[in-house]
Amino acid sequence: STEESELHHAQIHLYKHVYNFVSSMALKSAMELGIADVIHSHGKPMTISELSSALKLHPSKVSVLQRFLRLLTHNGFFAKTILPSKNGVEGGEEIAYALTPPSKLLIRNKSICLAPIVKGALHSSSLDMWHSSKKWFSEDKELTLYESATGESFWDFLNKTTESDTLGMFQDAMAADSKVFKLALEECKHVFEGLGSLVDVGGGTGVVTRLISETFPHLKCTVFDQPQVVANLTGNENLNFVGGDMFKSIPSADAVLLKWVLHDWNDELSVKILKNCKEAISGKGKEGKVIIIDIAIDEVGDDREMTELKLDYDLVMLTMFNGKEREKKEWEKLIYEAGFSNYKIIPICGFKSLIEVYP
Ligand code: 2HI
């Protein structure tokens, strides 16, 4: 009956969402084991026994590895290939696992490697807070879920010195993400053409600025971040690191870059940052610009998978920082509220957008 079939589908739907975390955590296991690295250095697809000895697993874990790989293969991280039987005997064929484009993103020491994102985003410090959401919903406080659960903000957690280098973990993740920008820079070169100077607000260790600086060697670049972030960093003739507070004032330049910054902050604080950006580019008159790189939610234009990722990110930003991912309309409101007159939005890097904002 239709009632029965509806129940079946509803059940599958619910269980699938209950166990979504298993796919995330199996991906984390693959990253920690370094499965992609091993297949990559082997240079060709590997059988289970080859993998298990290269990974130095306990012999009792061979079948465990095989089952992890079955799920990861189903999820598109590996591809099964059949190796011809060695001695030509029928049924002697062996299965070997090959890399796919998503697992190639886990290979370390490649120019683009997203393993640090997997590590940081699926670290217990990013996940534990979710167990406290019921308490958080009942609170009449402006705390993030992270603060409500741990008693301190994520930023304070990053900055306190502990035996595990959490600030380093976060910076590695941000730097890894920034390297993806190298390809995007080709598509959006025109955005930076003709500029004399650029300040990268929240530029961290300067990965994006270095990429821009390599492409535009005459551009005077400044990486602006909190004093403790830039303390031990040195630039070169056209790249310098400046410590400060973006809520107070931002160094002057022809253009300001805000990559993955505004989604960490609520509307009120984002407008404050944008107003300081406007002040920073005021010397250039109408020629100055602010360049925002962030997510723009577009439930109509994007497919389901893309929207799901953007909405997931929205809850990550909400729970960690009281930040948000914004729809195009919300970006527009923010931009005009900060006193800008116009903007242009283009998609880059798969799921992000580049927004050029003009005074
Ligand atoms: C490391 C990486 C991430 C994290 C925490 C870490 O939180 C991310 O990649 C995510 C999120 O899962 C993130 C992305 C952008 C951003 C802040 C966090 O501005 O330790």
Side-chain angles (χ1 to χ4, degrees):
S1 69
T2 54
E3 203 182 318
E4 219 175 293
S5 125
E6 204 176 85
L7 172 68
H8 289 157
H9 281 107
Q11 242 196 116
I12 292 165
H13 186 90
L14 184 138
Y15 275 96
K16 152 108 176 82
H17 280 82
V18 166
Y19 290 110
N20 268 345
F21 79 94
V22 176
S23 287
S24 301
M25 297 318 273
L27 171 60
K28 183 179 170 171
S29 304
M31 179 277 295
E32 287 178 339
L33 287 172
I35 299 176
D37 304 283
V38 160
I39 301 178
H40 177 68
S41 25
H42 192 69
K44 57 177 199 250
M46 291 173 84
T47 64
I48 285 288
S49 55
E50 286 173 333
L51 268 170
S52 131
S53 61
L55 295 168
K56 301 189 174 59
L57 302 188
H58 190 273
S60 69
K61 289 294 186 292
V62 175
S63 64
V64 174
L65 176 67
Q66 194 263 320
R67 284 157 67 186
F68 270 67
L69 281 170
R70 181 167 61 180
L71 176 65
L72 288 161
T73 301
H74 178 81
N75 286 347
F77 286 98
F78 299 97
K80 272 206 252 188
T81 60
I82 312 277
L83 298 181
S85 146
K86 279 194 197 105
N87 40 21
V89 215
E90 209 169 312
E93 302 87 3
E94 265 201 290
I95 288 165
Y97 292 87
L99 294 172
T100 60
S103 49
K104 285 179 186 163
L105 295 175
L106 298 177
I107 303 167
R108 279 163 235 268
N109 304 321
K110 276 247 193 140
S111 66
I112 292 178
C113 170
L114 297 183
I117 295 277
V118 177
K119 183 177 175 184
L122 297 177
H123 190 260
S124 57
S125 59
S126 301
L127 301 182
D128 291 349
M129 61 177 169
W130 286 94
H131 297 293
S132 309
S133 70
K134 186 168 179 243
K135 167 176 162 266
W136 182 50
F137 271 106
S138 72
E139 285 171 352
D140 171 32
K141 298 189 203 113
E142 274 190 54
L143 297 178
T144 61
L145 172 59
Y146 189 91
E147 289 169 298
S148 169
T150 69
E152 63 183 347
S153 76
F154 185 69
W155 304 121
D156 289 341
F157 165 70
L158 287 187
N159 282 318
K160 84 177 174 208
T161 37
T162 49
E163 55 291 5
S164 61
D165 180 16
T166 44
L167 179 60
M169 182 171 75
F170 184 72
Q171 286 175 340
D172 287 350
M174 296 303 110
D177 177 76
S178 294
K179 288 189 188 138
V180 180
F181 183 71
K182 193 184 171 90
L183 299 174
L185 194 55
E186 295 300 311
E187 307 161 41
C188 59
K189 256 187 171 160
H190 62 276
V191 173
F192 301 90
E193 247 139 37
L195 295 173
S197 58
L198 176 85
V199 52
D200 182 0
V201 172
T205 54
V207 172
V208 167
T209 312
R210 274 183 226 281
L211 291 174
I212 296 169
S213 188
E214 278 163 23
T215 313
F216 300 98
H218 301 294
L219 187 61
K220 290 266 176 217
C221 295
T222 301
V223 179
F224 183 67
D225 211 307
Q226 294 187 68
Q228 72 274 20
V229 173
V230 296
N232 300 313
L233 302 171
T234 46
N236 56 47
E237 210 194 324
N238 277 334
L239 194 160
N240 70 313
F241 288 88
V242 174
D245 180 350
M246 65 180 170
F247 292 106
K248 297 214 170 88
S249 96
I250 292 167
S252 298
D254 296 350
V256 173
L257 177 64
L258 288 168
K259 178 194 162 285
W260 257 16
V261 171
L262 296 180
H263 74 167
D264 290 344
W265 307 96
N266 65 24
D267 289 349
E268 190 193 328
L269 292 170
S270 292
V271 167
K272 201 163 173 181
I273 297 168
L274 281 170
K275 282 183 172 164
N276 286 346
C277 290
K278 190 160 181 279
E279 183 62 36
I281 58 165
S282 60
K284 190 77 175 166
K286 283 279 162 199
E287 303 291 291
K289 64 170 100 167
V290 177
I291 303 157
I292 300 170
I293 298 176
D294 244 316
I295 283 172
I297 298 169
D298 180 2
E299 290 194 61
V300 179
D302 290 338
D303 63 24
R304 264 197 70 84
E305 196 186 21
M306 175 84 101
T307 294
E308 187 179 330
L309 171 62
K310 291 178 177 183
L311 299 181
D312 285 345
Y313 251 109
D314 181 53
L315 288 206
V316 173
M317 293 305 128
L318 169 66
T319 53
M320 295 182 75
F321 311 112
N322 277 341
K324 67 199 279 194
E325 302 303 348
R326 297 175 168 93
E327 296 178 13
K328 199 177 156 195
K329 274 240 153 62
E330 299 176 286
W331 278 116
E332 185 174 289
K333 189 164 170 281
L334 215 61
I335 287 164
Y336 291 149
E337 240 174 77
F340 292 92
S341 70
N342 205 358
Y343 74 99
K344 202 190 294 169
I345 183 162
I346 53 167
I348 56 155
C349 292
F351 66 99
K352 288 169 206 148
S353 289
L354 185 147
I355 313 171
E356 273 185 273
V357 186
Y358 313 106

